[in-house]
Amino acid sequence: MILFKLALRNLVGAGTRTWLNVTVTSITFVLIIFMSGLYQGMFESNKRLMIETEIGGGTYWHPAYDPKDPFTLEDSHGVLPTEIAEQVIAGTGMPVLITQGSIYPEGRLRPVLIKGIPPEQQVVTLPTGILSTYAGEAIPVLIGAGMAKTTKLRVGDTFTARWRDARGTYDADEAEVVSIMNVENFQVDQGQIWVPLERLQRMLEMPDEATYVVVSRETSLLANPGGWNTMSVDALTEDFRRIMLTGQASMSIMYLIFLALAAMGIFNSQVLSIFRRRKEIGTLMALGMHRGRVIGLFTTEGGLHSLLALILAALYGGPFLLWTATRGIPLPIDYAEIGMLLDQRMVSVYPAGLFVGTTLLVTFIVTIVSYLPARKIAKMKPTEAISGRTN
Amino acid sequence: MDDNHIVEIRDLVKNYPVGGGHFTALRDVTTDLVVGEFTGLVGPSGSGKTTLLNIIGGLDAPTEGSVTVLDMPLGGKNHKELAHLRREGIGFIFQTFNLLPVYTVFENVEFPLLLIGMAADERKELVDQALEWVGLTDKVKSRPAQLSGGECQRVAIARAIVKKPKLIIADEPTANLDAKNSHNIMQILVHLNQELSTSFIFATHDEKVMGYLTRIIHLIDGRIDEDEHISEPEYRKGK
């Protein structure tokens, strides 16, 4: 307790030097938490976006379906197994049929995925209901804003769509854009058009067939029903999680640089202290402080830097972090348009472990860099220290 | 150790390594200091005054011989034991004051009491008393940089005396002060010596200090050349 009191007195007495170190350390502390929270927030936000607009509570894939291999699309369709069909009838499953095709907006060829979806579905938040309100002869089409921008299509525009049916015969028809949806998930936007499922089944001569089925968030996934592959939310977001982990690994280099800057400041300050305060150290020894206590005093002084930094960080960083966790940072552009899965506001997520871990890390490093120069004191002769002599 | 003795030194030798050989700072020093003595180590520069003070204060170790301070033989004692001796029984006054620059006058004087773990109210009482002895009750909140040299040395005296130690070691306490301040400081020390029966040992070559001493040990080249007991110091004659 005495060491704590003395260390605090010394720090307060040191004035500007202390506050410079404390400020740099607190900035480091806030930056590390902010950047980690931003990454965590990105992951959580993207996962939520994927769940809401694309994968619901998980999916069943046709055994041949592999979204990373477009060559599998030709064979990845089939009639739903009974267990899955029951979930679809109950409204908790949403079948999607996919085929490759081409569209010709303004006469230009564009390869697309044509996706058939039940317009009345409630499993994902895509505004598919509009597809059932179309009364015209053409194929009603729903596209995303990103797709609309790249193809320059607007609501009411018509274009030719071409595809191959189940027998491999090319077929074509007129399609009309009935709605453009704003969705931040580029994976349901770019390079694809959404049409009513039954219409696509007729076009492809694949009645009652689907490529995959999305189940609602409240529904339990069955284990590989009828040989279809069960894909959980975790499995479907695994790739993204790994990308985030890779990003976090790169970010940790930044954290280390921040920490190194703060640690170097404190280390330099402590080394300088020892040289400038030799006489003081000698006096402390003469007054009855033994070497271990002197080391303890200097280490506590260093450690207190981190405590003061935490308090300062809480004062200005707290409101800032709270703002980023509740309001989020508005992004200047729609990243879905350039193929990035990002919400329009970046809302950070700060788990308690992040605060505890960062606090322990900063305190540990700051204490170590304070202890190392303080340990040198143990080798100093009190008589030389008192006279302020350097050797 | 004799009950009346506060320091016993026997056949003390102190060598310092220099190059391949060594320099002898003290040789065959044997003497005793008695309770309540006002002793001065006097001699030219390099005669071993400060070395002897450092050894008595447990800040340096003898090469040969034995030193016993406040009933504790210093030979073979570790840093913690020596620090304990200084903390509990010895006060130090330095030529350059050695006040802690970021502390106020009150905090500087309070420091030795903090080290011995005294309660806050008791500390305040003793610090106030010590500052009254040295006449600095109006400067409690000042920092050393705001004080004159004489005031700084008075703070250093208050710090040395605050825990009422049995022995005070003062290394050239008036060397950085003018004549008026030197006399003022010495009068304070004489007063404390008489009031508290604290033993003082000075290293000095200041004639003004010598006028207050009741015993003068003359050191030349690390040896005791003369040990002079003075029944009536100069300052009393002048009264």
Side-chain angles (χ1 to χ4, degrees):
Chain A
M1 196 60 196
I2 289 172
L3 285 184
F4 183 83
K5 271 186 195 170
L6 295 176
L8 196 61
R9 264 186 200 176
N10 288 343
L11 285 188
V12 173
T16 313
R17 182 163 51 88
T18 297
W19 292 114
L20 275 175
N21 283 328
V22 165
T23 305
V24 171
T25 311
S26 77
I27 291 171
T28 302
F29 184 74
V30 171
L31 273 179
I32 289 176
I33 290 186
F34 170 64
M35 299 299 276
S36 298
L38 206 57
Y39 256 76
Q40 187 69 29
M42 269 170 74
F43 177 66
E44 297 291 336
S45 155
N46 295 348
K47 191 174 174 181
R48 182 182 51 76
L49 269 179
M50 283 179 75
I51 289 171
E52 284 177 358
T53 59
E54 187 184 356
I55 61 173
T59 56
Y60 303 117
W61 286 1
H62 182 273
Y65 179 54
D66 180 357
K68 290 173 188 162
D69 181 1
F71 293 108
T72 64
L73 278 176
E74 198 174 325
D75 301 319
S76 51
H77 54 85
V79 176
L80 301 179
T82 315
E83 303 95 310
I84 301 176
E86 282 171 0
Q87 290 188 332
V88 171
I89 292 163
T92 58
M94 177 193 83
V96 175
L97 179 61
I98 307 177
T99 190
Q100 285 180 302
S102 309
I103 60 171
Y104 298 86
E106 296 176 336
R108 289 182 183 172
L109 168 71
R110 275 193 175 269
V112 292
L113 287 178
I114 305 172
K115 292 184 171 179
I117 188 169
E120 69 284 359
Q121 64 80 26
Q122 299 292 322
V123 174
V124 294
T125 57
L126 300 182
T128 51
I130 191 83
L131 292 171
S132 61
T133 61
Y134 180 69
E137 292 294 313
I139 304 166
V141 167
L142 172 68
I143 58 173
M147 180 71 173
K149 194 170 183 182
T150 50
T151 55
K152 297 187 173 61
L153 284 170
R154 288 174 297 186
V155 173
D157 285 355
T158 57
F159 54 86
T160 302
R162 196 174 75 125
W163 65 91
R164 286 172 73 187
D165 65 19
R167 287 170 295 181
T169 309
Y170 280 102
D171 204 347
D173 203 347
E174 200 72 353
E176 183 177 340
V177 178
V178 295
S179 181
I180 294 170
M181 57 182 173
N182 280 309
V183 57
E184 284 99 8
N185 183 357
F186 75 96
Q187 296 183 125
V188 293
D189 182 339
Q190 290 289 358
Q192 53 202 286
I193 61 173
W194 294 85
V195 300
L197 176 65
E198 280 185 25
R199 180 78 179 250
L200 185 61
Q201 286 170 337
R202 280 205 306 277
M203 285 156 58
L204 299 176
E205 296 180 23
M206 296 176 187
D208 302 323
E209 291 192 16
T211 304
Y212 65 85
V213 173
V214 181
V215 300
S216 64
R217 274 164 274 176
E218 303 77 30
T219 307
S220 303
L221 280 172
L222 305 170
N224 300 326
W228 283 43
N229 297 321
T230 300
M231 302 300 292
S232 67
V233 170
D234 286 344
L236 291 167
T237 54
E238 178 63 14
D239 284 352
F240 190 72
R241 194 183 68 80
R242 288 190 179 180
I243 291 170
M244 298 304 294
L245 280 178
T246 310
Q248 274 182 326
S250 337
M251 280 311 294
S252 58
I253 294 170
M254 288 294 289
Y255 304 157
L256 283 177
I257 293 171
F258 293 151
L259 265 178
L261 281 174
M264 270 194 293
I266 291 166
F267 183 79
N268 282 340
S269 153
Q270 292 296 95
V271 170
L272 189 69
S273 282
I274 283 163
F275 281 92
R276 282 182 57 193
R277 293 165 65 185
R278 275 176 168 248
K279 204 168 184 175
E280 183 185 329
I281 291 161
T283 307
L284 296 178
M285 287 176 171
L287 294 178
M289 222 181 209
H290 60 76
R291 288 172 177 178
R293 268 186 130 183
V294 175
I295 293 171
L297 176 64
F298 274 75
T299 308
T300 309
E301 270 184 37
L304 270 176
H305 276 111
S306 61
L307 184 69
L308 293 177
L310 293 181
I311 294 169
L312 184 64
L315 286 178
Y316 72 86
F320 171 69
L321 296 178
L322 188 66
W323 176 73
T324 59
T326 49
R327 298 289 304 278
I329 301 167
L331 296 177
I333 57 168
D334 184 1
Y335 282 88
E337 288 178 10
I338 55 170
M340 286 180 74
L341 191 58
L342 282 177
D343 219 334
Q344 286 175 348
R345 292 186 84 90
M346 284 299 303
V347 179
S348 303
V349 173
Y350 305 110
L354 178 62
F355 286 102
V356 175
T358 311
T359 304
L360 289 178
L361 181 69
V362 171
T363 308
F364 176 74
I365 288 179
V366 167
T367 306
I368 286 291
V369 297
S370 306
Y371 169 74
L372 290 177
R375 201 177 55 165
K376 273 189 147 288
I377 295 166
K379 294 174 186 167
M380 200 186 294
K381 283 185 180 174
T383 48
E384 287 177 358
I386 288 168
S387 62
R389 231 176 286 156
T390 52
N391 53 6
Chain B
M1 187 169 173
D2 190 319
D3 281 351
N4 203 30
H5 287 179
I6 204 152
V7 177
E8 275 184 8
I9 301 169
R10 297 287 176 268
D11 306 320
L12 174 64
V13 176
K14 178 65 185 177
N15 295 328
Y16 289 110
V18 177
H22 64 261
F23 163 74
T24 302
L26 292 170
R27 58 190 85 207
D28 302 324
V29 174
T30 295
T31 189
D32 299 322
L33 299 179
V34 179
V35 174
E37 263 185 345
F38 209 65
T39 309
L41 301 175
V42 176
S45 291
S47 59
K49 304 185 295 290
T50 300
T51 303
L52 186 53
L53 283 189
N54 285 338
I55 290 173
I56 293 170
L59 295 171
D60 208 347
T63 309
E64 287 173 29
S66 70
V67 178
T68 303
V69 178
L70 303 175
D71 294 325
M72 181 197 257
L74 302 190
K77 291 287 184 282
N78 61 29
H79 293 293
K80 271 191 174 179
E81 289 166 317
L82 293 173
H84 182 264
L85 171 71
R86 292 193 294 270
R87 195 161 61 236
E88 300 288 337
I90 304 176
F92 283 87
I93 301 170
F94 303 98
Q95 178 182 343
T96 50
F97 325 130
N98 289 43
L99 299 178
L100 303 174
V102 299
Y103 290 3
T104 62
V105 165
F106 186 93
E107 288 165 346
N108 264 287
V109 179
E110 184 192 26
F111 190 83
L113 304 178
L114 271 173
L115 290 184
I116 55 179
M118 190 176 279
D121 49 350
E122 208 176 338
R123 284 202 309 265
K124 186 174 182 326
E125 192 182 321
L126 288 177
V127 172
D128 288 343
Q129 189 182 42
L131 287 173
E132 205 177 315
W133 284 331
V134 297
L136 281 176
T137 45
D138 56 333
K139 302 277 185 185
V140 282
K141 287 183 181 168
S142 304
R143 291 184 192 276
Q146 299 167 306
L147 304 176
S148 67
E151 286 171 331
C152 281
Q153 195 59 299
R154 277 147 68 193
V155 177
I157 291 168
R159 182 178 66 184
I161 206 78
V162 70
K163 63 189 174 189
K164 295 176 182 165
K166 290 183 178 166
L167 174 65
I168 289 183
I169 293 173
D171 189 4
E172 308 272 11
T174 57
N176 282 350
L177 304 177
D178 57 29
K180 188 181 168 198
N181 270 312
S182 297
H183 282 295
N184 188 10
I185 292 295
M186 289 313 295
Q187 280 158 11
I188 292 169
L189 294 178
V190 166
H191 173 72
L192 292 170
N193 170 247
Q194 288 165 353
E195 189 164 314
L196 303 173
S197 297
T198 302
S199 307
F200 282 77
I201 178 163
F202 299 85
T204 186
H205 38 47
D206 186 344
E207 293 290 338
K208 298 184 289 292
V209 173
M210 287 181 224
Y212 291 87
L213 301 174
T214 56
R215 183 181 173 194
I216 299 176
I217 298 172
H218 295 268
L219 284 171
I220 292 177
D221 293 336
R223 288 181 199 279
I224 295 179
D225 185 58
E226 188 186 347
D227 192 348
E228 189 182 352
H229 289 264
I230 302 156
S231 53
E232 191 167 7
E234 288 295 320
Y235 80 97
R236 283 190 205 157
K237 292 176 190 167
K239 273 186 181 174

